[in-house]
Amino acid sequence: MVKICCIGAGYVGGPTMAVIALNCPSIEVVVVDISVTRISAWNSDQLPIYEPGLNEVVKQCKGRNLFFSTDIEKHVSEADIIFVSVNTPTKTRGLGAGKAADLTYWESAARMIADVSKSNKIVVEKSTVPVKTAEAIERILTHNSKGIKYQILSNPEFLAEGTAIQDLFKPDRVLIGGRETPDGLKAIQALKDVYAHWVPEDRIITTNLWSAELSKLAANAFLAQRISSVNAMSALCEATGADVSQVSHAVGKDSRIGPKFLNASVGFGGSCFQKDILNLVYICECNGLAEVANYWKQVIKVNDYQKNRFVNRVVSSMFNTVSGKKIGIMGFAFKKDTGDTRETPAIDVCKGLLGDKARLSIYDPQVTADQIQRDLTMSKFDWDHPIHLQPMSPTGVKQVSIAWDAYEASKDAHALCILTEWDEFKTLDYRRIFDNMQKPAFVFDGRNVVNVEMLRDIGFIVYSIGKPLDPWLKDMPAVA
Ligand code: NAI
């Protein structure tokens, strides 16, 4: 029986291995992690991450050929194929701080593999890593090899949170990079055989190692660039009276461009886009490609601009002050159908409003109160470390309360800010919400989910990103 071990039981390791186990009953899959709480949660009925369809998949194979364990060394030593899916945060200190990937967790995983292995291994990079990481890992492994042969493969993951299970079952492509040597090609084939259990062969692409590593960074940079492009347009739409949804629709009809990923919003978030672009920028700079680095940097700058612009709209519309005013925050996760808050734009928007002394009542159907307080007190980039290594702030933010539902969050509020596109926000009883709010009552829709006309008829003053401005907002100072 082929044995797979995956180091890192997070958003990638957990769902990816569950789908492999389900589709390959003849393979034993063990997911290991240094976090005892995470592994206990995987072994309970309350999985550590929320992802539609995940529960059902895990239920079918847990205990059959899918296992979760903290006994890392035992399972690594027994495995034929080892996936490494640990955090690769942005460095906060030292050389490349604020840009380069911090490979501390990767390196410690590689050293541990070298220490405990007694048989040949295929080591698969699942985490997103800088180009040429495989070479560094190879050096660590071969310098400690005791005659054991290692083949390193790059197999970046393209799943999107919120649709991870669907993406894993029907991937647009599976990418496998490896050495173009006889042993390298054999290792590529072994991994191909795993995916071939359910992925059509023409969707499994093989490349050299560096192309696979770079393709993942490039894909995320292109995706984020589309969002920043449409968000840049949204600012121009507001200034001119065009409607960004109409512009996106017209642009997306061009088959060379396509309709996906063209929704204007308060900005992109998630654990990957910013981190991977910063990483790309750093690699460009290290290779003397300043122009290329600056080009990609701009994608992040526009994203930051979009979040600032949103906060400025809120404050300037409300007589230039939100001090002491209650603002209902609808949604905190970085997108719908996930409880993940890593780099969510809600953090920057909430911090911006708190900076102007607002009182916030935050509601999200999947994010815990603890997580929200943690996010609002943590410094930038600290979030992307294993949870037990994250600095904990002793107290939460006083001006923040957590609400059980949207109605509680909006009660007596001066304004609502919609920051995640949860479906339930489309069908709220906005008449009831309006009746329970202070007047004038504002809605700032950062995800374009509400029916603007309907809300204006009820009496709200509505701001919706990239849409023709409410007459109220037109008379307010321009935002920058
Ligand atoms: P995560 O933070 O959810 O999971 C990483 C896990 O690795 C944590 O549970 C941590 O405790 C564990 N870990 C760290 N060092 C370890 C060690 N030495 N031994 C054992 N366990 C260790 O991170 P996530 O989101 O799963 O991301 C993992 C990688 O996949 C990152 O490189 C990320 O960029 C990449 N990725 C993430 C995607 C996403 O949507 N979240 C999509 C595609 C790639």
Side-chain angles (χ1 to χ4, degrees):
M1 192 185 216
V2 175
K3 289 192 173 181
I4 289 180
C5 175
C6 175
I7 308 178
Y11 284 88
V12 170
T16 315
M17 292 304 125
V19 170
I20 291 184
L22 187 75
N23 286 297
C24 312
S26 59
I27 298 179
E28 182 193 274
V29 182
V30 184
V31 191
V32 297
D33 203 293
I34 39 176
S35 161
V36 178
T37 3
R38 235 182 190 172
I39 291 297
S40 312
W42 281 110
N43 280 324
S44 74
D45 288 334
Q46 202 64 53
L47 301 186
I49 61 176
Y50 172 71
E51 194 59 65
L54 177 64
N55 256 323
E56 290 71 21
V57 174
V58 171
K59 246 189 214 151
Q60 284 184 65
C61 41
K62 194 160 65 178
R64 182 189 77 181
N65 64 331
L66 175 67
F67 303 92
F68 294 91
S69 169
T70 47
D71 197 346
I72 304 179
E73 302 191 352
K74 171 178 184 285
H75 294 290
V76 166
S77 121
E78 289 175 357
D80 307 292
I81 304 176
I82 302 164
F83 285 83
V84 185
S85 185
V86 301
N87 327 49
T88 48
T90 306
K91 272 184 91 168
T92 47
R93 286 187 199 86
L95 189 65
K99 276 185 278 197
D102 180 347
L103 293 178
T104 312
Y105 304 108
W106 232 112
E107 185 176 336
S108 88
R111 287 183 186 281
M112 184 269 301
I113 295 172
D115 283 347
V116 306
S117 292
K118 296 185 195 75
S119 56
N120 295 347
K121 308 279 180 214
I122 296 173
V123 178
V124 185
E125 289 179 343
K126 200 55 162 160
S127 306
T128 306
V129 290
V131 185
K132 299 246 165 172
T133 300
E135 197 165 78
I137 301 306
E138 213 168 45
R139 286 202 192 134
I140 294 174
L141 293 172
T142 47
H143 271 83
N144 297 280
S145 78
K146 303 172 274 186
I148 294 164
K149 281 197 190 156
Y150 295 98
Q151 276 303 319
I152 319 288
L153 299 178
S154 165
N155 173 220
E157 185 47 60
F158 293 100
L159 68 79
E161 284 175 35
T163 53
I165 295 301
Q166 200 177 310
D167 296 342
L168 288 164
F169 270 98
K170 278 192 173 222
D172 288 340
R173 78 309 209 177
V174 166
L175 178 57
I176 303 175
R179 289 261 179 222
E180 288 149 322
T181 58
D183 282 347
L185 295 172
K186 246 170 84 184
I188 291 176
Q189 190 57 46
L191 188 55
K192 243 179 133 174
D193 290 345
V194 173
Y195 284 107
H197 279 84
W198 80 100
V199 181
E201 199 164 338
D202 60 350
R203 296 211 169 189
I204 307 179
I205 308 173
T206 57
T207 63
N208 73 29
L209 271 175
W210 326 133
S211 300
E213 289 180 340
L214 184 56
S215 300
K216 174 63 191 176
L217 294 182
N220 272 353
F222 277 49
L223 287 169
Q225 181 206 42
R226 267 176 93 94
I227 299 179
S228 280
S229 296
V230 74
N231 282 344
M233 282 302 156
S234 75
L236 188 56
C237 286
E238 287 167 30
T240 58
D243 179 327
V244 76
S245 303
Q246 294 175 352
V247 173
S248 292
H249 181 68
V251 169
K253 280 286 178 195
D254 186 323
S255 58
R256 291 167 302 177
I257 297 171
K260 291 185 183 166
F261 248 64
L262 283 180
N263 288 334
S265 70
V266 62
F268 61 74
S271 66
C272 296
F273 283 177
Q274 174 167 298
K275 161 175 84 79
D276 293 351
I277 294 177
L278 287 171
N279 192 349
L280 187 67
V281 166
Y282 183 68
I283 295 170
C284 293
E285 285 172 352
C286 291
N287 282 285
L289 303 172
E291 284 76 7
V292 185
N294 287 336
Y295 175 76
W296 289 112
K297 236 186 242 171
Q298 201 57 30
V299 172
I300 294 177
K301 281 193 186 160
V302 168
N303 198 46
D304 289 339
Y305 165 75
Q306 189 75 346
K307 291 182 272 189
N308 285 335
R309 215 166 68 74
F310 187 85
V311 172
N312 291 347
R313 273 282 184 221
V314 176
V315 178
S316 72
S317 309
M318 296 170 73
F319 315 101
N320 243 351
T321 174
V322 288
S323 180
K325 293 178 184 166
K326 174 174 171 180
I327 298 182
I329 302 291
M330 303 295 186
F332 199 80
F334 86 93
K335 66 192 279 202
K336 73 169 180 177
D337 292 338
T338 176
D340 194 355
T341 60
R342 297 178 292 179
E343 285 293 343
T344 174
I347 295 177
D348 286 336
V349 170
C350 288
K351 282 185 172 172
L353 295 172
L354 289 168
D356 235 288
K357 300 210 174 90
R359 288 185 298 121
L360 305 182
S361 179
I362 304 177
Y363 165 67
D364 187 288
Q366 284 298 333
V367 184
T368 61
D370 241 27
Q371 187 62 50
I372 292 173
Q373 285 291 359
R374 190 190 277 271
D375 286 334
L376 292 177
T377 47
M378 205 165 344
S379 330
K380 207 167 168 58
F381 301 130
D382 274 346
W383 55 267
D384 199 5
H385 291 269
I387 208 152
H388 66 282
L389 295 179
Q390 287 170 12
M392 234 344 245
S393 111
T395 52
V397 184
K398 277 198 216 72
Q399 311 96 291
V400 171
S401 62
I402 310 299
W404 284 109
D405 68 10
Y407 299 101
E408 188 195 335
S410 52
K411 192 165 187 325
D412 294 325
H414 290 257
L416 299 184
C417 293
I418 301 175
L419 301 183
T420 312
E421 70 282 22
W422 287 105
D423 288 337
E424 65 178 75
F425 298 155
K426 289 183 188 152
T427 52
L428 292 171
D429 181 349
Y430 281 101
R431 157 78 46 200
R432 175 178 158 202
I433 288 179
F434 180 79
D435 289 344
N436 287 322
M437 282 175 67
Q438 304 279 341
K439 308 293 175 320
F442 297 84
V443 169
F444 299 92
D445 184 358
R447 297 286 181 169
N448 289 349
V449 295
V450 300
N451 179 332
V452 176
E453 288 318 314
M454 194 185 86
L455 262 62
R456 284 193 185 137
D457 284 348
I458 292 175
F460 283 105
I461 295 160
V462 186
Y463 165 73
S464 199
I465 283 186
K467 304 278 181 161
L469 290 181
D470 198 295
W472 177 286
L473 295 151
K474 269 193 192 143
D475 301 331
M476 293 292 162
V479 286

